[in-house]
Amino acid sequence: MADPIIRLVNLHKSFGSLVVLDGVSFDIPTGETTAIIGPSGTGKSVLIKHIVGLLEPDEGQVWVGDVDMATANEKRKYEVRRRFGMLFQDGALFDSMTAGENVAFPLRYHTKLNEKQRREKAEEMMELVELPGVYDRPTSALSGGQRKRVGLARAIVLEPEIILFDEPNSGLDPLTSDTIDELIGKMKRQLGITFIVITHDIVSCVNIADHIVMLNGGKLIEHSPTQSFIRSENPFVRSFLRRNVDLDALKPL
Amino acid sequence: MRMFVTIGQFALFCVAVTRATLTHRPPVAASLQAAYEIGIRSLPILVIISTFVGTNLALQGYNAFKPLGGQSLVGMFVALAGVREMAPIMVAAMVAAKAGTEMASQIAVMRIQEQIDALEVMAVNPYWYLVTPRFAGILLVLPALTIISVFTLLLSSYSVSVFQLGLNGDEFLSHIQQTMSMMDFVFTSVKSIAFGAIICMVSCFYGFYSSPGATGVGAATNASVVVSAVLCSSLNYVLSELLYG
């Protein structure tokens, strides 16, 4: 396993009496894809929000490089966030802008490119996610799959070191879902960066991930390379896999 | 208890907005855009309501003073009640109902759809991006709207007094001149700037802390207008006491 780019150490988080993360610790290796899976409501999205510093843990550390996001001040957090791109569950696109303006948005604030250059760069990213020619289309006119791709293009436009995907396949039909997986695989090969994918789609996990982390009830159940995960003897993992897929059919892309 | 938590959250929100505003470059274009949108969208309704508030003030003043033989004092009544008190609070109420609710609902939807989280992850300060331009915009435009309201109100009350009630126009204007000074316009602007700050901060605050779902957006919008109206009305009394007392 490569050196970790992110280290989660004994992470605890509760909302009132609801314990969401209960002593979670694991490393995310540089340049590889780590999938975080588990049933709904098990703390996956909360975990990812800790990684980018949108939530602070009750206890524990979230190391991104040499910065602990749990204790870093706002200025430092913003500096660290420049290393991230993130695809949100529903895209989180700004309705007041066109698809292309959404993609170009981070360039406005973090580069010295002029408007023409920003547009060129955004169009280049939109081609990379196989969505050419929709720069001027309003976001309301995009399908679910197109919204994800625009969100993906926006996530990669600043060429981040780490990209987070929050349920990239949710709400998509199987074909579009496969296309998104292929896009992630293609970017993994082309960009060579660290991917963290949250999903409860085990097929997608096996397609794209090098490592799989499984959470349940806020606890880490399993953390292993994808092929070992599929063969895991952990009863909860077996049960989760059996409920979701034909195990014999699981093969990485 | 819940009220104290909300007050604490609001104080922290104000600190975050102030810090973001002071540590980033001023969003000039976005502020002018916000001022234009708040001003243009509120202007038609503002002119209509100011017109009819002016007509009614003239009628009520006339009816109140006539039994005492003082109907010529309508101009003074309009200047005192309309210009000093009614215009600033009326403009604030309309802007809270129109622009304030729009701010609260827009930001609440952005919160629910994770657009505010997206801003944070893209290392764009959401307080600076969403609140600062609206704050600057409303402070720019509210005094102007209030002055427009004052003149509309005076014109309509003059028209009713002179053309409907048969009062002497010169006498009406002379009473207004004797009652008002340039300081009234300054004080009215001071009030409207204070109201603008309240409306913007309260509306954006409720948007930022909206609960999920359509109910959450509705509650945030409703709370923004109710709290803005209550705070502006009570502050209006305090300011009147300080400025005119």
Side-chain angles (χ1 to χ4, degrees):
Chain A
M1 193 157 102
D3 288 342
I5 193 165
I6 294 169
R7 298 190 67 209
L8 306 176
V9 184
N10 192 30
L11 217 53
H12 289 261
K13 182 71 179 177
S14 301
F15 296 105
S17 59
L18 179 69
V19 178
V20 182
L21 296 175
D22 189 7
V24 173
S25 301
F26 64 91
D27 293 350
I28 293 173
T30 308
E32 296 183 11
T33 300
T34 302
I36 302 169
I37 63 166
S40 300
T42 198
K44 303 187 296 291
S45 293
V46 170
L47 183 73
I48 215 170
K49 285 184 176 175
H50 279 86
I51 293 175
V52 286
L54 292 175
L55 288 175
E56 287 173 11
D58 299 333
E59 197 186 323
Q61 292 128 40
V62 183
W63 293 98
V64 180
D66 58 354
V67 178
D68 180 8
M69 295 296 271
T71 54
N73 62 29
E74 279 301 305
K75 190 169 176 253
R76 199 83 180 94
K77 279 184 191 172
Y78 277 114
E79 284 166 12
V80 173
R81 284 179 192 142
R82 296 279 303 275
R83 300 172 67 183
F84 285 99
M86 183 164 174
L87 171 62
F88 287 83
Q89 203 163 339
D90 293 314
L93 303 180
F94 302 123
D95 305 331
S96 56
M97 300 175 194
T98 67
E101 285 167 351
N102 266 281
V103 178
F105 181 84
L107 298 170
R108 240 165 88 184
Y109 294 97
H110 299 301
T111 69
K112 292 197 165 103
L113 299 179
N114 62 32
E115 197 177 338
K116 185 169 171 278
Q117 290 167 324
R118 290 200 298 264
R119 185 179 175 115
E120 282 168 6
K121 179 79 178 170
E123 283 176 337
E124 187 190 318
M125 290 299 120
M126 291 171 89
E127 279 193 26
L128 188 66
V129 298
E130 297 168 11
L131 200 61
V134 298
Y135 187 96
D136 294 312
R137 195 176 291 179
T139 54
S140 56
L142 300 174
S143 68
Q146 287 174 325
R147 288 180 73 85
K148 296 261 186 188
R149 289 188 212 199
V150 171
L152 190 51
R154 187 176 69 180
I156 60 173
V157 74
L158 287 175
E159 298 170 13
E161 292 169 57
I162 308 157
I163 300 185
L164 307 160
F165 297 87
D166 190 359
E167 305 274 10
N169 307 97
S170 72
L172 299 180
D173 63 82
L175 285 178
T176 313
S177 191
D178 281 348
T179 314
I180 294 284
D181 285 351
E182 280 163 21
L183 266 176
I184 295 173
K186 178 176 142 188
M187 284 193 301
K188 187 175 150 185
R189 289 188 298 274
Q190 285 186 359
L191 306 175
I193 50 186
T194 307
F195 289 94
I196 303 166
V197 184
I198 283 188
T199 181
H200 38 221
D201 181 346
I202 188 66
V203 178
S204 171
C205 257
V206 174
N207 282 345
I208 58 180
D210 300 305
H211 305 270
I212 300 179
V213 174
M214 180 161 224
L215 295 179
N216 185 41
K219 287 184 185 295
L220 185 77
I221 299 291
E222 177 89 16
H223 179 201
S224 49
T226 303
Q227 284 310 305
S228 310
F229 184 87
I230 296 170
R231 292 190 297 273
S232 169
E233 294 303 321
N234 183 309
F236 186 82
V237 175
R238 300 305 307 162
S239 155
F240 188 86
L241 290 173
R242 259 200 305 276
R243 270 205 305 269
N244 286 280
V245 284
D246 170 8
L247 291 178
D248 295 331
L250 281 180
K251 276 188 296 195
L253 280 178
Chain B
M1 183 63 191
R2 189 186 159 91
M3 190 179 82
F4 291 114
V5 172
T6 306
I7 291 170
Q9 279 180 328
F10 182 67
L12 291 175
F13 175 79
C14 291
V15 170
V17 172
T18 307
R19 191 189 296 153
T21 304
L22 296 176
T23 55
H24 290 72
R25 63 187 160 79
V28 178
S31 301
L32 292 175
Q33 177 71 22
Y36 173 80
E37 285 176 7
I38 295 164
I40 291 297
R41 287 185 190 167
S42 304
L43 194 57
I45 183 79
L46 176 80
V47 168
I48 292 167
I49 292 181
S50 300
T51 301
F52 289 106
V53 167
T55 58
N56 287 25
L57 275 178
L59 278 176
Q60 291 297 344
Y62 180 82
N63 290 335
F65 290 126
K66 193 180 176 192
L68 308 170
Q71 58 268 44
S72 60
L73 297 174
V74 168
M76 183 191 76
F77 175 68
V78 168
L80 284 175
V83 176
R84 288 186 178 179
E85 299 300 334
M86 294 290 289
I89 197 69
M90 186 174 66
V91 172
M94 268 184 291
V95 170
K98 195 140 178 60
T101 52
E102 201 169 282
M103 286 179 201
S105 57
Q106 277 176 355
I107 294 175
V109 169
M110 290 185 77
R111 164 63 73 202
I112 290 164
Q113 294 183 346
E114 296 185 300
Q115 292 173 31
I116 293 180
D117 286 347
L119 282 170
E120 296 243 30
V121 175
M122 288 187 280
V124 175
N125 188 305
Y127 300 104
W128 171 79
Y129 183 75
L130 295 172
V131 186
T132 305
R134 287 172 166 89
F135 190 78
I138 205 166
L139 293 196
L140 278 174
V141 87
L142 215 63
L145 287 176
T146 307
I147 300 300
I148 291 170
S149 170
V150 163
F151 280 105
T152 309
L153 190 148
L154 287 176
L155 185 66
S156 66
S157 60
Y158 175 87
S159 303
V160 166
S161 301
V162 174
F163 302 115
Q164 184 184 335
L165 303 172
L167 298 179
N168 183 305
D170 291 338
E171 207 174 355
F172 181 94
L173 291 176
S174 139
H175 277 296
I176 286 181
Q177 276 175 345
Q178 284 166 20
T179 314
M180 285 177 64
S181 67
M182 273 313 289
M183 285 316 286
D184 282 299
F185 288 100
V186 174
F187 291 161
T188 299
S189 299
V190 168
K191 279 186 172 184
S192 59
I193 286 171
F195 297 158
I198 286 176
I199 293 165
C200 179
M201 295 307 282
V202 166
S203 304
C204 292
F205 168 74
Y206 279 105
F208 258 82
Y209 288 89
S210 167
S211 311
T215 317
V217 177
T221 309
N222 185 37
S224 77
V225 74
V226 170
V227 174
S228 296
V230 170
L231 288 180
C232 288
S233 309
S234 43
L235 183 67
N236 191 34
Y237 169 72
V238 175
L239 286 176
S240 289
E241 183 61 36
L242 285 174
L243 299 171
Y244 300 110

